[in-house]
Amino acid sequence: MMAHSASHDGPGPGDAPPGSEPGPEATSSGDRSAPASAGDKRARILAAAEEVFARRGFYNARVSEIARAAGVADGTIYLYFKSKDDLLISLFETRMKDVIRELETAVPPDGAAPLRLSAFISAYLRLIRDRPQIAEVLTVELRQSSKFMKEYSNPRFGEFLKLLAGIISEGQSRGELDDEIPAPIAARAIFGVLDELALAWLLGGHNKFDIVRAADWVGAMTLRGLERRNS
Amino acid sequence: MMAHSASHDGPGPGDAPPGSEPGPEATSSGDRSAPASAGDKRARILAAAEEVFARRGFYNARVSEIARAAGVADGTIYLYFKSKDDLLISLFETRMKDVIRELETAVPPDGAAPLRLSAFISAYLRLIRDRPQIAEVLTVELRQSSKFMKEYSNPRFGEFLKLLAGIISEGQSRGELDDEIPAPIAARAIFGVLDELALAWLLGGHNKFDIVRAADWVGAMTLRGLERRNS
Amino acid sequence: MMAHSASHDGPGPGDAPPGSEPGPEATSSGDRSAPASAGDKRARILAAAEEVFARRGFYNARVSEIARAAGVADGTIYLYFKSKDDLLISLFETRMKDVIRELETAVPPDGAAPLRLSAFISAYLRLIRDRPQIAEVLTVELRQSSKFMKEYSNPRFGEFLKLLAGIISEGQSRGELDDEIPAPIAARAIFGVLDELALAWLLGGHNKFDIVRAADWVGAMTLRGLERRNS
Amino acid sequence: MMAHSASHDGPGPGDAPPGSEPGPEATSSGDRSAPASAGDKRARILAAAEEVFARRGFYNARVSEIARAAGVADGTIYLYFKSKDDLLISLFETRMKDVIRELETAVPPDGAAPLRLSAFISAYLRLIRDRPQIAEVLTVELRQSSKFMKEYSNPRFGEFLKLLAGIISEGQSRGELDDEIPAPIAARAIFGVLDELALAWLLGGHNKFDIVRAADWVGAMTLRGLERRNS
DNA sequence: TATGAATGAGCGTTCATTCAT
DNA sequence: GATGAATGAACGCTCATTCAT
């Protein structure tokens, strides 16, 4: 069902796209449907896929819909991606990379663990707020696809967890955090909190609550939950 | 796409099933294909759907596969459920009811909030361990379906959250728990932790870690995270 | 490209068609488009495929066209055949069986080899005349498909050749036929003659020449070509 | 489907090719991808088409595959040929011309008919052995295309048959050959023998039997089949 | 009730052909 | 001329759903 030897990052048609990759498609959500300045086709398709997957879900998304949203012909998608599945996987890869990069930037490299955790949590939820479509893809589709991707195993998500677990285990070894709970479990738990909040916020139409204030609450809660007991 | 006026709980053909819900269908996959004492059809179909959805995912599950697993003809499913979507929704409803019932039983009705929370967490993760297929459905498919069910809004899941939020807000008003964080947010956060652990455990093939020990860790972490600071 | 584990002869839907196989579809070309007396679905599809393949060629034939010609829905074809390829292969099998049966009947089992060869040739070309669509399939599509069927190897055609080679080698060992030429080569050569004549006749619109008179000519020519020299 | 007003022999871009057909392109598959002295483009494309059609069959051959094999861009093919169909037709024309030329050379212009027929048969089968790819095209694809080319009617193949029929009817009028069988039918029959042997040899991987020895057998058989009975 | 053969709309994907460069 | 990225019509096949029995 799933293409396992997908291209994922191959830059384009025949691996030789007409222009150079224009760097991270950071601005990709708001795609100017205008003259299609060319070369950014792959990025435009990814942006369109993000939008359509977010709006309709992977299985209900039509490839032709993505093509229309990207302003390209149906067939063009297959110049850049092996299949619809590959498109999803590639989207994960790209967006996860962005997220990880952003988080690495936002987290002070050598502060105290509680501070760094706080920063991580705030940055993550801010990111969700600012790029809700990324959020949809990461939150809903990632999980969906975890199922049919058991083999694929999603290295990028592993990286993400490692980043978080690294902060925690470092804090533990420095005595800043309680070390009874294994760091990977704690990381997963924290991700669960963030992911669930993101989902609730997304499904609530972005206005049931302020996701950035929520960051403070769950940041505090999490820190207390992990901090060393001074006994 | 989605039937919104689904039957969900209508007990079956002619709305006159010959018995009450026969309790959790246990692990009814290995169903005697012989006489099938009749009347349990609806339950058997739900059990089969649970198994198949869990194994293949909602979208990759074939109605005919569910029919085979249930030992009925394809058409029979449509005597008990309006559509494949309705089957999924009905499955949620049933299983969520079971889960809620089980949790209500497991949580002491009038203990202290921390104790009750602990019990809740342990009971939930134990349930996951004992009925992993429920877990898959709740964990993966629930989220998947959240998408196409925006209107459906899932009352049973609301109940579940309310149960959890109730424990928390009670604890807050009794001064046992910190009351800065809104109880519904806290409930959601806790559910996130549990859900993520469940997912990790399921995808890890049930043996990457001991989910019941994890209950202790995250139970402790959560309690500390929420408990009142003795100012 | 080609389904190698095709059903080929499996009688129908789920290998359990509603009625019993109505024997050889001998009458199948002229299909009454009327109420579709049921049970003969598989035969009707084969007949339709024969007609459409003959008229358009395998690659230009549309599955939907065959379905229309058979008076069934597109999907129905896939209840009886794995794929379009399988449909072609199954058609070969069926028709080849018919042809072989007919030839076995027409050739006197214990006459002299020249007599039997004559009978074979006449019977074959008469068959072509009477069922030109079989002829098209055997003549044009068989060869076409020989290419993508290298592995499939077409056992039924092998049988056909063996029947012919058997007559020849028997004649050779009885001293009725010249035994310098290996019987399998001679069989192939004779088949080539018949096949080419069939093709010419088919492409000529059935009226460029009388294919049954041609049988006499090539029969005589072939016999002389093979008969023992009385030296 | 088929371009009937195809170019077929138009020498190439701008109808001003820098040289006459450079003779048989030999085994030009291994083409130097470097400067490609230009002008032989058309021939190189034909050679590539021959190779690819032979290997994959007309319908399974991809234009892009032919382009790659010819060392040109996909679009370039359309500078020399109107369509994929035209490419096939043009290929026939070219190769058939070669074959006819070669046979005319090999057959002594004024020997006795039996001798000339022998020479024809030997030369044809030798040609098959030496240029199997021509053989594939003539043998498999010619027939395939007979179907979609009913109108095209293939003048070059007519010439081929006429060459053969001419030898026969001359022999008949000179009393060297039996004149009961019409010469065109006899010609077709002989072609059938040759074609079938060629096919068997090709599909047998070129080593099931020695096609040149077979020429002796079927040559003898054919001659006897046609020679005058000394009343 | 129950069946399961039949349906047919719908979709992912391919590939001959075009055309801006 | 030559290129090859882009196009988009076309098609095989799937599968939720129906309905005659």
Side-chain angles (χ1 to χ4, degrees):
Chain A
M1 261 306 103
M2 206 65 196
H4 291 298
S5 54
S7 62
H8 298 339
D9 256 322
D15 283 330
S20 60
E21 275 277 321
E25 303 72 17
T27 56
S28 53
S29 348
D31 50 338
R32 51 273 176 235
S33 62
S37 27
D40 54 351
K41 282 263 165 72
R42 194 183 134 94
R44 282 190 18 236
I45 293 169
L46 281 172
E50 179 175 63
E51 192 267 317
V52 176
F53 286 159
R55 184 156 39 79
R56 317 256 296 175
F58 176 72
Y59 285 103
N60 291 315
R62 302 294 139 230
V63 170
S64 60
E65 207 175 350
I66 295 171
R68 193 171 344 102
V72 300
D74 293 19
T76 303
I77 289 187
Y78 292 87
L79 294 177
Y80 294 87
F81 303 94
K82 274 194 155 73
S83 64
K84 192 187 177 192
D85 284 357
D86 183 38
L87 182 48
L88 178 62
I89 295 185
S90 302
L91 181 57
F92 279 150
E93 297 277 328
T94 329
R95 297 306 183 249
M96 262 300 183
K97 258 193 216 158
D98 293 357
V99 168
I100 290 172
R101 190 177 327 112
E102 203 136 336
L103 290 175
E104 282 174 337
T105 306
V107 173
D110 36 39
L115 186 75
R116 299 179 76 206
L117 262 182
S118 252
F120 185 101
I121 289 170
S122 296
Y124 186 82
L125 292 179
R126 225 179 306 116
L127 208 125
I128 295 292
R129 186 196 55 194
D130 296 339
R131 301 185 57 191
Q133 286 177 346
I134 279 197
E136 291 251 14
V137 171
L138 297 186
T139 289
V140 178
E141 300 304 332
L142 169 60
R143 185 161 297 201
Q144 171 59 213
S145 53
S146 328
K147 278 219 61 66
F148 62 49
M149 276 198 231
K150 287 206 167 130
E151 285 116 287
Y152 167 59
S153 86
N154 209 338
R156 218 60 70 183
F157 181 60
E159 258 179 66
F160 175 90
L161 283 180
K162 211 164 288 173
L163 177 58
L164 186 47
I167 296 175
I168 294 167
S169 72
E170 220 177 305
Q172 289 176 325
S173 57
R174 280 201 252 144
E176 296 161 353
L177 298 179
D178 181 274
D179 60 0
E180 244 176 78
I181 188 169
I185 300 272
R188 243 172 149 140
I190 291 175
F191 173 69
V193 171
L194 299 179
D195 195 42
E196 184 64 29
L197 281 181
L199 180 63
W201 183 75
L202 288 167
L203 293 181
H206 305 190
N207 49 23
K208 280 271 176 52
F209 60 93
D210 178 344
I211 195 172
V212 170
R213 276 201 72 194
D216 292 341
W217 291 324
V218 303
M221 167 180 156
T222 306
L223 287 184
R224 290 184 199 168
L226 289 178
E227 73 192 4
R228 185 111 191 261
R229 317 305 299 215
N230 50 336
S231 67
Chain B
M1 241 333 81
M2 203 68 195
H4 290 299
S5 53
S7 62
H8 296 340
D9 255 321
D15 281 333
S20 57
E21 277 277 330
E25 296 72 18
T27 38
S28 57
S29 347
D31 47 345
R32 52 281 173 229
S33 62
S37 32
D40 55 330
K41 283 262 167 74
R42 195 183 131 94
R44 274 174 44 218
I45 293 169
L46 282 172
E50 178 175 63
E51 191 267 317
V52 176
F53 286 159
R55 186 157 38 80
R56 316 254 296 176
F58 177 71
Y59 284 104
N60 291 316
R62 303 293 144 232
V63 171
S64 59
E65 206 175 350
I66 296 172
R68 191 170 350 101
V72 301
D74 294 18
T76 304
I77 288 185
Y78 291 85
L79 296 175
Y80 294 87
F81 303 93
K82 284 171 95 111
S83 65
K84 191 187 176 192
D85 284 358
D86 182 39
L87 181 49
L88 177 61
I89 295 182
S90 303
L91 180 57
F92 279 150
E93 297 277 329
T94 331
R95 296 304 183 253
M96 263 298 183
K97 255 193 219 160
D98 294 355
V99 168
I100 290 171
R101 189 182 323 120
E102 202 135 337
L103 289 175
E104 282 175 336
T105 306
V107 173
D110 35 39
L115 186 75
R116 296 179 76 207
L117 263 181
S118 246
F120 186 101
I121 289 170
S122 296
Y124 186 82
L125 292 180
R126 225 179 308 116
L127 207 124
I128 296 291
R129 186 197 55 193
D130 295 340
R131 299 185 56 192
Q133 286 176 347
I134 280 198
E136 291 252 13
V137 171
L138 297 186
T139 288
V140 178
E141 300 305 330
L142 169 62
R143 185 162 296 203
Q144 170 59 213
S145 54
S146 327
K147 281 223 56 67
F148 65 51
M149 278 200 228
K150 284 201 172 137
E151 284 115 289
Y152 166 60
S153 87
N154 207 341
R156 218 60 72 186
F157 181 60
E159 255 180 67
F160 175 90
L161 282 179
K162 211 163 288 169
L163 176 58
L164 185 47
I167 298 175
I168 294 167
S169 72
E170 220 177 307
Q172 289 176 323
S173 58
R174 279 200 251 146
E176 295 162 355
L177 298 179
D178 181 273
D179 60 0
E180 245 175 77
I181 188 168
I185 301 273
R188 216 112 202 176
I190 291 175
F191 174 68
V193 170
L194 299 180
D195 196 39
E196 183 64 29
L197 282 182
L199 180 63
W201 183 74
L202 288 167
L203 293 181
H206 303 189
N207 48 25
K208 279 271 175 53
F209 60 92
D210 179 344
I211 196 173
V212 170
R213 275 201 71 194
D216 292 341
W217 291 323
V218 304
M221 166 181 156
T222 305
L223 288 184
R224 289 182 197 171
L226 290 178
E227 73 193 6
R228 185 106 190 265
R229 316 305 295 216
N230 46 339
S231 63
Chain C
M1 259 309 101
M2 205 68 195
H4 291 298
S5 55
S7 62
H8 299 338
D9 257 320
D15 283 331
S20 58
E21 274 280 320
E25 304 71 16
T27 56
S28 52
S29 346
D31 51 338
R32 51 270 175 238
S33 62
S37 27
D40 54 350
K41 282 262 165 72
R42 195 183 134 96
R44 277 181 34 228
I45 293 169
L46 281 173
E50 179 175 62
E51 192 267 316
V52 176
F53 286 159
R55 184 157 38 80
R56 317 257 295 176
F58 176 72
Y59 285 103
N60 291 314
R62 301 295 139 230
V63 171
S64 60
E65 208 175 349
I66 296 172
R68 193 169 347 98
V72 301
D74 293 21
T76 304
I77 289 187
Y78 292 88
L79 294 176
Y80 293 87
F81 303 94
K82 274 191 153 72
S83 64
K84 192 188 175 190
D85 284 357
D86 183 38
L87 182 48
L88 178 62
I89 296 184
S90 302
L91 182 57
F92 280 150
E93 298 277 327
T94 329
R95 295 308 183 248
M96 262 301 182
K97 255 193 217 159
D98 292 358
V99 168
I100 290 172
R101 191 178 325 113
E102 203 136 336
L103 290 175
E104 282 174 337
T105 307
V107 173
D110 35 39
L115 187 76
R116 299 178 76 205
L117 263 182
S118 251
F120 186 100
I121 290 170
S122 296
Y124 185 83
L125 292 179
R126 224 180 308 114
L127 208 124
I128 295 292
R129 187 197 54 195
D130 295 340
R131 300 185 57 190
Q133 285 177 347
I134 278 197
E136 291 252 15
V137 171
L138 297 187
T139 288
V140 179
E141 300 305 331
L142 169 60
R143 185 161 297 201
Q144 171 59 212
S145 52
S146 329
K147 278 217 62 67
F148 62 49
M149 275 198 230
K150 286 204 168 131
E151 284 117 286
Y152 167 59
S153 87
N154 208 341
R156 217 61 71 184
F157 181 59
E159 256 179 68
F160 175 90
L161 283 179
K162 211 163 287 172
L163 177 58
L164 186 46
I167 297 175
I168 294 168
S169 72
E170 220 177 304
Q172 289 176 324
S173 56
R174 281 201 250 145
E176 296 161 353
L177 298 179
D178 181 273
D179 61 0
E180 244 175 78
I181 188 168
I185 301 271
R188 225 125 190 166
I190 292 175
F191 174 69
V193 171
L194 300 179
D195 196 40
E196 183 64 28
L197 281 181
L199 181 63
W201 182 75
L202 289 167
L203 293 182
H206 304 190
N207 48 24
K208 279 270 177 53
F209 60 91
D210 178 344
I211 197 174
V212 168
R213 274 200 73 193
D216 293 339
W217 293 323
V218 304
M221 167 180 156
T222 305
L223 287 184
R224 289 185 199 168
L226 290 178
E227 73 193 5
R228 186 109 190 263
R229 316 305 295 213
N230 51 335
S231 67
Chain D
M1 257 308 106
M2 203 67 196
H4 290 298
S5 54
S7 64
H8 296 340
D9 256 322
D15 281 333
S20 58
E21 277 277 328
E25 296 72 18
T27 38
S28 59
S29 348
D31 48 343
R32 52 276 175 235
S33 62
S37 33
D40 56 330
K41 282 260 168 75
R42 196 183 131 93
R44 275 177 40 222
I45 293 169
L46 282 171
E50 179 174 64
E51 191 267 316
V52 176
F53 286 159
R55 184 155 39 78
R56 316 254 296 175
F58 177 71
Y59 285 103
N60 291 316
R62 302 294 144 232
V63 170
S64 60
E65 207 176 348
I66 295 172
R68 192 171 347 101
V72 301
D74 294 19
T76 303
I77 288 185
Y78 291 85
L79 297 174
Y80 294 87
F81 303 94
K82 286 172 96 109
S83 65
K84 190 187 177 191
D85 284 358
D86 183 38
L87 182 50
L88 178 62
I89 295 182
S90 303
L91 180 57
F92 278 151
E93 298 278 328
T94 329
R95 295 306 182 252
M96 262 299 183
K97 255 193 219 160
D98 293 356
V99 168
I100 290 171
R101 190 183 322 121
E102 202 135 337
L103 289 175
E104 282 173 336
T105 306
V107 173
D110 36 38
L115 187 76
R116 298 179 77 207
L117 263 181
S118 248
F120 186 101
I121 290 170
S122 295
Y124 185 83
L125 292 180
R126 224 179 308 115
L127 207 124
I128 295 292
R129 187 198 52 194
D130 295 340
R131 300 185 57 191
Q133 285 177 348
I134 279 198
E136 293 251 12
V137 171
L138 297 186
T139 289
V140 178
E141 300 304 331
L142 169 61
R143 184 159 297 203
Q144 169 58 212
S145 54
S146 327
K147 281 226 53 70
F148 65 50
M149 278 199 229
K150 283 198 173 139
E151 284 115 289
Y152 165 59
S153 86
N154 208 340
R156 219 59 73 185
F157 181 59
E159 256 179 67
F160 175 89
L161 282 180
K162 212 163 288 171
L163 177 58
L164 186 47
I167 297 174
I168 294 167
S169 71
E170 221 177 306
Q172 288 176 324
S173 57
R174 280 200 250 147
E176 294 162 356
L177 298 179
D178 181 274
D179 60 0
E180 245 176 79
I181 188 168
I185 300 272
R188 250 187 135 130
I190 292 175
F191 174 67
V193 171
L194 300 179
D195 195 41
E196 183 64 28
L197 282 181
L199 180 63
W201 183 73
L202 289 167
L203 293 181
H206 304 189
N207 49 23
K208 279 272 175 55
F209 59 91
D210 179 343
I211 195 171
V212 169
R213 275 200 73 194
D216 293 339
W217 292 322
V218 303
M221 167 181 157
T222 305
L223 287 184
R224 288 182 197 171
L226 289 178
E227 73 192 4
R228 185 109 191 263
R229 314 307 295 218
N230 46 341
S231 63

